[in-house]
Amino acid sequence: MADVLIFKPKHELEHTKNQADFIEFGRQISPLNDKYVYDENYWPKVGNFTIFGASSRQKNPDELLDDSLIPFAKAYITYGGGTKAGINVKFQALRAINAGWQRLHKGEVFETTKLTAKTFDEAQRAAKESLSAGAAYQAGRALNNLLKFLTEYKLLKPFTWKSGLKKPADNPTGDDADERRQEKMPDENVLLALASVNAQKTEDLSPRDIFTTSTMSLLMAAPNRGSEPFYLLSEPIHIEELKVWEVLKMDGFTKDDVKEILKYQKENDIALEAAEGATFDDSENIIEDSQEIDGDELDLAATIKIKGIKWYSGKGFGHAHKWIPTSMYSVVDTAVERLQELSKPARTFAKMLEDTSDFPRHDLCPNVPEDQFLTMDEAAMALGLDLSMYGNLSNVKNRKKWQSARNGLLNRMGILREDYRVTLRDLNSILRNELPKGFPYVPFENGNGNVKVKWSEALYAGFVYGFDTRKSTIRTKLHIPTINTLNEDLAPTKKKNRKTGELLTGSPSIFQRWGHGDLKITSHQIRHMLDTMAAVNGMSGEQRANWAMRSDPRHNRYYDHTIPEEYGADFIEDQEADLVSRGLMSNPKTGTTQIQVQVATPRTLQELNTKASLTAHTNEFGMCVTSYMAEPCTKYRDCINCDKQVCEKGDDGKCERIRKRLKDERKLLKMDKRAVDDGVQGARQFYERRKLTAERCEQLLAMMEDPNIEDGSLIRLINVEDVTQLDRAMDANGKKRLPKIENYQRIKATQNSQRVTVDEMIGIESISESFDDELFDDLDAFDEMDVSDFFEDL
């Protein structure tokens, strides 16, 4: 371990001399890493000595800090080291001081002795103008630390100053909270699009499709950071076989979870050790002579498999084993299987490099002795360039492409472009010199050196250009994707042509490749969504921190985007519980139960979605759940063709109305068809609309009469092409459709309560059928009508 050097100022009053000593002292300190040169102004993996808003790629000299400030800045950054986040706020403080100095002392040589409270005021103002509220607050704290440091080491005359930048409020309500929710949470359309791509057959997916969808599937199983799946081993799933009663005693597992696992095992023909005939009730008492188990009872002696993944947190939490949500078993299995197959060639190649000192004879390697000289084509194939990817080489165009790729590879590897100049033994030495640093271990940039994963065991092991559709994969150059690889595929590209400045068109996102347009998401938004789901459903703060592998539970608040309506629902529940405890929920005179009416005043789309579920309007076929707060009825009471129409299975009266409507629609459909055949103008439009109505009636009736659907189930036909005014308004204003996060504990409690029909809730009797009878009484007479006359009147 390097010796720790402490700066000791020699001059009590000569602050300028102390500054010079400190700058010289900075050169004696061990560097923060071995990737930068001290005299340069851009330090890889540390930071850049640039002003606010500077581009790290262009490296414009005009965007550097003041020349006289940089020597002190380098010594200050180096002294004491720190975490990446800690060093970053140091840079922000230095940039702020640079801005404050330029405003007050432009053209003068920087000296710490000339810094005053006014300089720090200007620095604070610059930070506020250049950074977000949260980053500015951190920069203000860093300015406090800088002043403390300068005072402690006698680099200026002491004075009192403190940053006035306030920490941003974490209010869960209001416009600021709505903006944070829009920024941090994913768009529901994006989630559905990812699910659609993930559901495709594996053979229809490109390697990059598999990488992106599988990684996002793993992140949906636990709120991990986007970089953490890359630390996983090729066999990441941990399986334990336990008795049901053991699982139920584990933190976080419920009866429903166990039933879900049993269902999964049955569907996948997973046979485990059979129980010895003992069945237990909720109190773990044996139920004698029970061959059949009721739905609410479990065989506690039965054996089940529970699955988990061993993750590693890149921010100090370390390793942790996390059980996979039971609803995600099949999704995670598919993701892991696809990634295993994708990484298998790279893992196999890495294993060959570990097991032998000879040339690793991969699939493309020519079958020749080690010391036989190779042609250029053979040398390129031995180095991992796939000749078969270039088609028939008798074609001049294909041959030129192959020669160009081959010559480029040989040049990069330092091999002469001549036949019979190298052997496999020569290539073995060249290839091993090109291996990634630290082989056989993957050189992860994050993880603080605590992640030790061999290339031969890494789930995400791959080759250079493995995802590139324009360049050939080099099957001897190991490569592992990063979080940037993932996020670049989750949004339209931001890369520009350096010459023209136009956006590149050759790297479409996964959504663009699959026809979903310019949708976008970040891997971190999934973490925010899962954390919010946990908060809404009652997970404790400590559990949430452990689940997200957060070392400080206080950081939970940054990930909780619970909507105000959820807080309101919790308040109402508490209020109702209090009323029940005081016997105030029932009217003693009438014996009726008093209900509370909640006034709907939505401010956000989430609140609007929540309020929509509180409204229901009865109609002749069931109920309408349209929220008239959003817009009026866009179907003009054409309920059959509306996706807001909900029917209740087992309601024979409503079912009979649907049956009668179908009969009438079929009669009218025949007339419309006859009009179409007769060439009546405009008849085709009526016919197509009537045909759709009849088809939806048939679908609805089939489900209402299906014996496999339990009575009381709610049935709703979805019209995926339906676009509402709200949809158009959201698109026009660039707003996301955030996923609706529900409190399932509240939903289950509601389901377990007494069922009340919509008619009973509203207090009206069923709609009379006389209206329908009168409307279609003379329908049969239409058959005698002249169709041409009918449409002529229209």
Side-chain angles (χ1 to χ4, degrees):
M1 181 177 178
D3 294 333
V4 177
L5 301 180
I6 306 296
F7 176 67
K8 297 180 179 179
K10 299 177 181 178
H11 311 282
E12 288 295 329
L13 299 176
E14 299 183 42
H15 303 116
T16 303
K17 290 185 178 180
N18 285 339
Q19 177 183 330
D21 290 347
F22 177 68
I23 291 173
E24 184 60 33
F25 181 78
R27 292 182 171 275
Q28 303 172 23
I29 305 172
S30 298
L32 300 174
N33 63 42
D34 58 358
K35 298 183 182 297
Y36 67 86
V37 178
Y38 191 89
D39 289 329
E40 293 182 354
N41 297 322
Y42 295 85
W43 289 4
K45 308 303 177 185
V46 179
N48 304 323
F49 296 91
T50 54
I51 61 176
F52 286 125
S55 171
S56 60
R57 290 189 176 183
Q58 294 180 356
K59 297 184 178 180
N60 188 343
D62 295 335
E63 295 179 337
L64 293 173
L65 300 178
D66 188 277
D67 290 340
S68 59
L69 171 60
I70 288 179
F72 169 79
K74 289 181 177 179
Y76 182 64
I77 290 294
T78 307
Y79 188 73
T83 63
K84 184 177 180 180
I87 291 174
N88 182 59
V89 295
K90 277 187 175 182
F91 271 107
Q92 301 291 37
L94 290 168
R95 289 171 184 139
I97 284 293
N98 180 80
W101 182 266
Q102 292 298 321
R103 293 178 182 184
L104 299 177
H105 306 283
K106 188 171 184 178
E108 297 182 27
V109 175
F110 174 81
E111 291 184 28
T112 56
T113 56
K114 294 182 180 180
L115 293 176
T116 63
K118 191 172 182 179
T119 313
F120 276 80
D121 283 338
E122 291 295 335
Q124 175 182 272
R125 189 173 293 110
K128 186 176 181 180
E129 293 170 354
S130 305
L131 303 172
S132 65
Y137 166 72
Q138 294 295 338
R141 294 184 62 189
L143 286 171
N144 291 337
N145 294 335
L146 174 60
L147 178 59
K148 180 180 178 182
F149 173 85
L150 295 172
T151 303
E152 182 178 349
Y153 291 101
K154 300 179 174 61
L155 296 172
L156 51 60
K157 185 177 179 180
F159 61 86
T160 301
W161 182 89
K162 186 177 181 181
S163 170
L165 296 174
K166 302 292 184 182
K167 186 175 182 179
D170 295 323
N171 294 330
T173 60
D175 293 338
D176 290 341
D178 295 340
E179 289 180 9
R180 285 198 303 274
R181 202 174 288 117
Q182 279 281 326
E183 176 188 356
K184 300 297 184 181
M185 296 284 280
D187 188 331
E188 187 174 40
N189 289 340
V190 175
L191 300 179
L192 293 174
L194 282 173
S196 173
V197 178
N198 190 61
Q200 304 298 318
K201 295 179 180 178
T202 303
E203 54 267 27
D204 294 335
L205 299 174
S206 69
R208 183 144 200 179
D209 292 335
I210 291 174
F211 161 74
T212 301
T213 55
S214 299
T215 304
M216 293 299 281
S217 295
L218 293 177
L219 291 174
M220 288 290 290
N224 280 70
R225 299 171 185 88
S227 60
E228 290 168 0
F230 305 118
Y231 305 147
L232 294 175
L233 297 173
S234 57
E235 295 290 342
I237 297 180
H238 170 75
I239 299 177
E240 284 192 23
E241 293 189 11
L242 298 170
K243 301 296 184 183
V244 169
W245 67 267
E246 293 177 302
V247 175
L248 290 175
K249 286 188 175 181
M250 296 173 64
D251 190 21
F253 281 91
T254 65
K255 271 189 172 184
D256 290 338
D257 293 326
V258 172
K259 290 176 182 177
E260 192 72 26
I261 296 173
L262 292 171
K263 179 182 177 182
Y264 172 80
Q265 291 178 174
K266 183 178 180 181
E267 291 174 348
N268 291 272
D269 297 323
I270 300 175
L272 298 175
E273 176 187 349
E276 299 180 355
T279 303
F280 299 77
D281 59 18
D282 291 347
S283 301
E284 301 185 15
N285 299 316
I286 296 179
I287 304 174
E288 297 181 357
D289 301 328
S290 57
Q291 299 298 323
E292 298 293 329
I293 303 174
D294 294 337
D296 292 332
E297 296 172 350
L298 289 171
D299 183 356
L300 299 183
T303 302
I304 63 172
K305 284 184 178 181
I306 56 175
K307 299 183 178 183
I309 297 178
K310 187 175 182 180
W311 296 89
Y312 177 80
S313 167
K315 288 194 176 181
F317 188 89
H319 288 90
H321 185 96
K322 289 196 259 187
W323 300 115
I324 302 170
T326 52
S327 59
M328 293 292 292
Y329 272 18
S330 60
V331 177
V332 170
D333 283 345
T334 300
V336 170
E337 288 169 6
R338 287 174 172 176
L339 289 170
Q340 287 173 333
E341 188 64 27
L342 190 64
S343 64
K344 185 177 179 180
R347 288 187 285 111
T348 302
F349 176 72
K351 186 63 175 174
M352 287 190 289
L353 288 170
E354 292 177 28
D355 292 345
T356 178
S357 59
D358 296 332
F359 187 88
R361 293 180 177 265
H362 50 85
D363 293 341
L364 300 178
C365 180
N367 186 20
V368 297
E370 288 275 313
D371 295 315
Q372 177 176 316
F373 285 99
L374 306 173
T375 65
M376 286 191 289
D377 286 353
E378 288 174 332
M381 293 177 66
L383 289 173
L385 196 61
D386 191 352
L387 180 65
S388 65
M389 298 295 293
Y390 293 85
N392 186 357
L393 295 188
S394 61
N395 181 292
V396 176
K397 190 175 182 180
N398 291 344
R399 182 66 183 173
K400 285 185 177 179
K401 286 183 178 179
W402 160 254
Q403 290 175 343
S404 176
R406 177 200 66 190
N407 294 342
L409 176 61
L410 295 179
N411 281 339
R412 290 194 298 273
M413 302 297 283
I415 300 171
L416 288 175
R417 290 160 46 187
E418 297 177 9
D419 289 334
Y420 309 115
R421 299 292 302 204
V422 292
T423 64
L424 288 180
R425 194 176 303 279
D426 298 326
L427 293 181
N428 185 40
S429 176
I430 294 172
L431 186 150
R432 291 179 184 272
N433 287 334
E434 292 288 324
L435 288 176
K437 180 181 178 181
F439 185 86
Y441 294 98
V442 181
F444 291 113
E445 295 180 359
N446 298 323
N448 301 320
N450 296 320
V451 186
K452 293 292 184 182
V453 178
K454 289 186 175 182
W455 283 99
S456 59
E457 299 172 347
L459 182 63
Y460 283 87
F463 294 119
V464 169
Y465 304 137
F467 298 151
D468 199 311
T469 57
R470 295 168 297 176
K471 297 180 181 179
S472 298
T473 302
I474 308 300
R475 298 177 183 270
T476 58
K477 293 183 73 70
L478 294 170
H479 172 77
I480 198 161
T482 66
I483 187 173
N484 291 333
T485 314
L486 177 62
N487 283 328
E488 284 174 0
D489 201 36
L490 294 173
T493 184
K494 295 181 180 178
K495 295 181 178 178
K496 295 183 179 180
N497 187 305
R498 293 184 179 179
K499 294 182 179 179
T500 64
E502 297 179 353
L503 289 174
L504 298 178
T505 58
S507 52
S509 71
I510 187 171
F511 306 112
Q512 293 170 326
R513 293 196 298 272
W514 284 89
H516 294 290
D518 293 338
L519 295 176
K520 60 182 178 180
I521 189 177
T522 67
S523 58
H524 210 59
Q525 287 175 342
I526 302 297
R527 181 171 168 87
H528 281 263
M529 182 185 72
L530 293 181
D531 206 297
T532 302
M533 291 171 65
V536 168
N537 285 275
M539 186 180 286
S540 69
E542 185 176 353
Q543 284 180 317
R544 283 169 56 202
N546 289 335
W547 192 38
M549 303 178 77
R550 221 173 272 127
S551 56
D552 189 350
R554 290 176 299 178
H555 293 169
N556 286 345
R557 64 181 183 270
Y558 300 122
Y559 292 85
D560 184 0
H561 305 290
T562 302
I563 62 175
E565 289 301 312
E566 183 62 32
Y567 291 116
D570 290 339
F571 174 75
I572 290 172
E573 282 187 353
D574 294 340
Q575 215 175 23
E576 289 177 348
D578 180 57
L579 291 173
V580 170
S581 66
R582 291 191 287 163
L584 299 178
M585 281 297 286
S586 297
N587 190 323
K589 294 182 179 180
T590 62
T592 58
T593 300
Q594 301 184 74
I595 64 170
Q596 293 184 349
V597 178
Q598 190 176 4
V599 178
T601 54
R603 299 177 65 257
T604 66
L605 183 62
Q606 296 106 312
E607 296 175 42
L608 190 62
N609 287 336
T610 304
K611 293 298 185 183
S613 63
L614 299 178
T615 61
H617 320 283
T618 58
N619 56 37
E620 56 184 323
F621 307 117
M623 70 185 90
C624 170
V625 293
T626 297
S627 173
Y628 288 108
M629 296 177 294
E631 58 186 346
C633 176
T634 59
K635 297 296 183 180
Y636 301 98
R637 303 289 291 171
D638 184 11
C639 299
I640 289 294
N641 291 307
C642 180
D643 61 357
K644 300 298 183 183
Q645 168 69 32
V646 178
C647 299
E648 184 178 0
K649 173 72 163 62
D651 190 332
D652 295 334
K654 302 288 175 71
C655 186
E656 182 58 33
R657 289 193 185 122
I658 298 172
R659 195 177 291 112
K660 189 174 186 306
R661 175 65 181 271
L662 176 59
K663 178 182 176 182
D664 296 335
E665 291 293 335
R666 284 173 174 170
K667 287 182 180 181
L668 292 172
L669 188 63
K670 290 180 181 179
M671 296 175 59
D672 290 342
K673 181 65 168 64
R674 209 162 41 199
V676 171
D677 295 340
D678 292 342
V680 177
Q681 186 176 2
R684 170 66 65 179
Q685 179 181 354
F686 284 90
Y687 173 74
E688 294 295 340
R689 185 67 179 179
R690 189 89 61 195
K691 183 181 178 182
L692 175 63
T693 302
E695 289 174 353
R696 288 178 68 88
C697 283
E698 289 171 354
Q699 295 171 10
L700 196 54
L701 193 60
M703 298 181 73
M704 292 286 282
E705 295 176 342
D706 189 344
N708 296 319
I709 299 178
E710 183 183 354
D711 284 352
S713 300
L714 299 181
I715 299 172
R716 176 178 171 186
L717 298 181
I718 299 298
N719 179 7
V720 295
E721 297 180 356
D722 195 33
V723 179
T724 66
Q725 294 292 341
L726 178 60
D727 291 323
R728 297 188 184 97
M730 294 290 290
D731 289 336
N733 289 279
K735 295 288 186 179
K736 298 177 185 174
R737 294 163 183 79
L738 302 188
K740 183 179 178 182
I741 297 177
E742 297 181 303
N743 188 324
Y744 286 96
Q745 295 182 13
R746 184 178 298 119
I747 291 174
K748 287 171 65 176
T750 303
Q751 290 173 343
N752 292 334
S753 63
Q754 183 178 0
R755 182 185 297 276
V756 181
T757 67
V758 175
D759 288 350
E760 291 172 338
M761 182 178 71
I762 298 177
I764 63 172
E765 298 181 359
S766 299
I767 299 173
S768 172
E769 297 182 8
S770 60
F771 174 78
D772 292 333
D773 297 336
E774 293 172 6
L775 183 63
F776 290 101
D777 259 350
D778 298 324
L779 191 58
D780 293 334
F782 285 174
D783 290 330
E784 307 299 327
M785 210 175 185
D786 188 280
V787 177
S788 299
D789 292 342
F790 177 75
F791 279 96
E792 196 172 286
D793 292 339
L794 294 178

